[in-house]
């Protein structure tokens, strides 16, 4: 079914250009005469098949650098501008150099040749200027504006004029000067970008853009809009703003703007995709947004979960995703008082960050932190024991969840201690689905992070597909350009005429997924008259979806739901054709990465590049490892669970397993997730190595390559029982979570060879250990 409809879409690639998408997807590019005919007749139709259509999510983080020169040095402070070295024609992959214009041009050419007539709209997630990484050539305002203009021109030419599809840009933290700091509008920068992005911002919204740098585009008129969020007003490092709690703050106003428009969208049955540059990352080492902004955003996404289709971001350069947990919503942290108390702390953060420009926090540390969170997720597929969970009075909003993250899987000792402190709470049995916010996992929200064009790893682009059932003959953006009445008129709403005094506080409706038992409990609590005073918010809390409304497109498969994506990358090592020996990315903890070019001379005296092309790195449609039927939150939560899974822990859970029927509300849940195999399938225990050696064991599993893994997997499937017996003897040190390994590999866009990757797979829990943990190098997170 799915394969068929995709084949139809991709077939349209053959219409506009004779070249097709290269290799791995080849099998789905089966042109059908029928489809081509249809397309030829209605050139302004949504371009996909009956069911699925395409979005170009990235390109993100281009970082074009007009000073880049091939065969220069990748060293710090030189940044591929001077001296001699092995920097390639299309960029110096795995280094911190920015992108040459040739890479920018080649990217657009490739997209025009290969994705023409397939795309419905393009999401361009910012950072279209180089970094300030060369003291000899400091960034100037005209350069920042210049490369932004260059890219705006390329986007307009290729898509708006060429393909007649909308492009939605957004601010990156490097698109302004000094970087990171954008003052509240109106200001010169917003003014400048109103002009640069004139072709992309709908006219009715230019006034509002001038104030805040946010806008939306109805990419399918009256059905679907993409909201370009100005994340710089949420960004913790933006010293030009404070937080999202005061009416005067642009972050506060942006949330108001969202609320007003999302209310209208709900009323009109329209849906929204969110996009922005800086994603809402929030782990111990990495908090991208001001906490008050994160709080409100998460609350908003929760309340509008019937409207929002998905959220896509850039900035981090690594390919990954994150889940916001609505259990963390805390109204106290949306108040001016709280923000004031935390302002000092925040300022000291900002000050220290300034010194650590390229981040002490490494990407791998950060990914490990995500994984630690995910390790606490319950398994949706196999049976979970009834869990003893404590009441948690701290979270007002989400008391229906009563999720205790430490309870289901073993907690880190520190957290245990903390918990021992709050004794005397009553325990009760929990349904694991309740912990997820019901069978659609509505407790969680998904943010997808596209990796960059700038070749800190390899340059990438991502094509997302979404379901267009029932919209096949709908008017397109291009139709509506000629006839603006076809757009909904909501865009005209002007936030800046709102009544600022408006302080009505709506009681928060707990929403559609509160169970009966919870409601009763809630009532009881109210009767008891809890001591806790409700902090009155100084903003209008958005309404939750009506209880009768079905789950939104992010949660249950329906029209507009993201069905999957294809990740493309350009192997610059191959394309530049300048590396001599077996070259590996040097990944050290230093602030600046010279990449695989460190100390090398190019193979050719004159650059001799190959013809540029992107290839498929992976596609979620035929993905053996991720096994994503679509990108709905519950599927991503389950993927996160599998990535986070720690063998020892899951075994424990298993021993207590009870009949899943008790947990499956309605029954179809199991059917939908049933494609996943038994949990063991994701594990590689390396028993051969383990049995024979002990001391040296930790040093290598070098034999471990693709083939070996495949063989083992096959063997596993055949002799399942034997295998399991063997496994019991395993030392936990040797258990390796393959889904986690794959997640890591993809995070670094396949630049880190498998055996080297193992080093980064280690975590404190000893899930996979090779070599001495103390000696592990860290991959520096290039967030700028
Ligand atoms: C990139 O394309 C532009 C036209 O869009 C052209 O003017 C420029 O010379 C090209 N630069 C390179 C390095 O190919
Ligand atoms: C697309 O949505 C329709 C309507 O909800 C559904 O029947 C169909 O199965 C969906 N297609 C895919 C590929 O998810
Ligand atoms: C990229 O190309 C180089 C040089 O041909 C090759 O050694 C390497 O394996 C390729 N990387 C990937 C991920 O295919």
């Amino acid at each position: 079914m799915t394969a068929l409809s995709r084949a139809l879409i991709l077939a349209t690639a053959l219409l506009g250009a004779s070249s097709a998408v290269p290799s791995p997807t080849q099998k789905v590019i089966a042109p059908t005469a029928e489809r081509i005919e249809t397309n030829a007749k209605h050139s302004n139709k949504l371009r996909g098949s009956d069911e699925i259509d395409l979005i170009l999510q990235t390109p993100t983080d281009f970082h074009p650098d007009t000073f880049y020169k091939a065969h220069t040095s990748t060293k710090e402070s030189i940044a591929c501008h001077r001296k001699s070295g092995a920097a390639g024609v299309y960029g110096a992959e795995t280094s911190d150099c920015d992108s040459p214009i040739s890479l920018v041009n080649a990217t657009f050419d490739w997209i025009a040749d290969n994705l023409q007539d397939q795309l419905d709209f393009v999401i361009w997630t910012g950072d279209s200027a180089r970094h300030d990484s060369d003291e000899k050539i400091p960034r100037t305002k005209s350069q920042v504006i210049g490369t932004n203009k260059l890219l705006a021109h390329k986007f307009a030419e290729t898509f708006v004029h060429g393909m007649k599809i909308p492009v939605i840009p957004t601010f990156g933290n490097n698109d302004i000067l000094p970087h990171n700091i954008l003052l509240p509008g109106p200001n010169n920068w917003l003014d400048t970008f109103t002009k640069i992005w004139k072709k992309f911002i709908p006219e009715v919204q230019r006034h509002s853009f001038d104030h805040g740098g946010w806008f939306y585009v109805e990419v399918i008129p009256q059905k679907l809009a993409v909201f370009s969020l100005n994340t710089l007003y949420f960004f913790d490092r933006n010293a030009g703003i404070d937080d999202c709690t005061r009416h005067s703050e642009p972050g506060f106003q942006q949330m108001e703007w969202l609320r007003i428009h999302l209310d209208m969208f709900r009323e009109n049955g329209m849906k929204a995709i969110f996009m922005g540059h800086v994603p809402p990352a929030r782990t111990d080492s990495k908090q991208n947004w001001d906490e008050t902004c994160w709080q409100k955003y998460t609350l908003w996404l929760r309340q509008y979960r019937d409207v929002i289709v998905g959220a896509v971001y850039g900035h981090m350069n690594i390919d990954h995703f994150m889940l916001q947990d609505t259990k963390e919503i805390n109204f106290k942290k949306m108040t001016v008082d709280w923000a004031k108390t935390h302002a000092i702390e925040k300022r000291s953060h900002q000050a220290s960050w300034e010194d650590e420009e390229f981040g002490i926090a490494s990407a791998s540390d950060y990914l490990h932190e995500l994984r630690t969170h995910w390790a606490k997720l319950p398994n949706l597929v196999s049976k979970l024991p009834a869990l003893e969970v404590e009441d948690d009075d701290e979270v007002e909003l989400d008391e229906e969840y009563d999720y205790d993250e430490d309870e289901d899987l073993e907690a880190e000792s520190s957290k245990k201690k903390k918990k021992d402190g709050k004794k005397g709470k009553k325990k009760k049995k929990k349904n694991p689905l309740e912990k997820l916010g019901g069978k659609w996992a509505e407790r969680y929200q998904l943010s997808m992070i596209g990796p960059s064009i700038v070749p800190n790893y390899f340059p990438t682009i991502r094509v997302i597909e979404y379901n267009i059932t029932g919209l096949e003959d709908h008017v397109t953006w291009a139709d509506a350009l000629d006839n603006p009445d076809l757009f909904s008129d909501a865009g005209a709403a002007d936030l800046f005429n709102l009544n600022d005094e408006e302080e009505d506080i709506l009681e928060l409706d707990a929403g559609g997924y509160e169970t009966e038992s919870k409601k009763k409990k809630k009532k009881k609590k109210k009767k008891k008259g809890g001591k806790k005073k409700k902090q009155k918010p100084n903003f209008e809390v958005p309404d939750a979806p009506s209880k009768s409304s079905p789950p939104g497109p992010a949660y249950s498969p329906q029209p507009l739901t993201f069905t999957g994506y294809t990740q493309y990358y350009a192997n610059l090592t191959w394309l530049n054709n300048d590396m001599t020996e077996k070259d590996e990315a040097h990944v050290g903890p230093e602030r600046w990465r010279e990449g695989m070019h460190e100390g090398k001379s190019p193979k050719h005296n004159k650059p001799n590049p190959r013809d540029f092309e992107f290839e498929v790195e992976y596609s979620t449609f035929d993905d053996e490892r991720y096994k994503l039927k679509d990108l709905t939150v519950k599927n991503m939560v389950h993927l996160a669970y599998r990535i986070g899974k720690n063998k020892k822990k899951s075994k424990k859970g298993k021993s207590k397993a009870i009949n899943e029927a008790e947990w499956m509300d309605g029954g179809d849940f199991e059917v939908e997730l049933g494609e996943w195999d038994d949990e063991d399938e994701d594990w590689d225990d390396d028993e051969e190595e383990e049995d024979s050696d002990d001391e040296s064991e930790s040093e290598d599993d070098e034999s471990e390559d693709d083939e070996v893994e495949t063989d083992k997997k096959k063997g596993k499937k055949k002799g399942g029982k034997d295998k399991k017996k063997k496994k019991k003897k395993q030392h936990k040190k040797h258990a390796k979570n393959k889904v986690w390994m794959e997640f890591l590999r993809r995070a670094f866009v396949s630049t880190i060879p498998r055996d080297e990757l193992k080093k980064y797979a280690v975590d404190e829990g000893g899930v996979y250990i090779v070599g001495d943990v103390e000696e592990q190098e860290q991959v520096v997170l290039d967030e700028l």
Side-chain angles (χ1 to χ4, degrees), residues 171 186-197 209-210:
F171 281 105
N187 60 46
N188 281 340
W189 282 107
L190 290 174
D191 214 39
T192 304
F193 276 91
T194 311
K195 286 177 194 130
I196 298 178
W197 292 342
F209 181 87
D210 229 17

Side-chain angles (χ1 to χ4, degrees), residues 427-477:
K427 304 223 169 189
K428 58 186 185 315
K429 304 261 174 188
K430 296 299 294 181
N431 175 338
L433 287 181
E434 256 174 53
K435 288 177 46 159
L436 295 171
K439 69 177 196 167
W440 304 110
E442 286 178 297
R443 171 177 167 173
Y444 293 96
Q445 307 161 355
L446 172 67
S447 301
M448 290 165 52
I449 322 299
S452 58
I453 288 281
V454 70
N456 286 173
Y457 305 103
F458 285 137
T460 69
I461 55 175
R462 173 176 292 187
V463 177
I464 302 176
E465 306 188 19
Y466 66 109
N467 189 332
I468 57 157
T469 303
L471 298 169
E472 300 86 348
D473 295 314
H474 202 275
V475 294
T476 63
W477 176 83

Side-chain angles (χ1 to χ4, degrees), residues 93 458 569-575 577 579 581-583 596 610 615 617 745 749-753:
E93 69 279 19
F458 285 137
Y569 77 112
N571 185 340
L572 291 193
T573 314
W574 167 252
L575 296 169
N577 190 22
M579 283 291 138
E581 322 116 49
K582 187 178 181 288
D583 301 289
M596 60 170 65
R610 296 188 163 95
E615 333 166 34
E617 184 193 10
R745 198 175 70 82
V749 198
S750 302
T751 51
I752 302 183

Side-chain angles (χ1 to χ4, degrees), residues 194 198-209 216 491-492:
T194 311
K198 198 167 171 226
K199 292 216 163 77
F200 312 124
I201 304 168
E203 206 173 326
V204 287
Q205 293 184 68
R206 284 191 200 139
H207 175 61
S208 141
F209 181 87
Y216 70 82

Side-chain angles (χ1 to χ4, degrees), residues 106 196 205 216 345 348 385 429 461 470 486 601 632 687 690 731 738:
I196 298 178
Q205 293 184 68
Y216 70 82
E345 198 183 313
S348 69
K429 304 261 174 188
I461 55 175
L486 295 174
S601 319
T632 50
E687 68 269 8
E690 153 75 10
H731 200 282
K738 287 186 174 183

Side-chain angles (χ1 to χ4, degrees), residues 101-102 105 153-154 157:
I101 304 303
S102 54
N105 283 2
H153 175 74
K154 281 276 177 194
E157 188 182 61

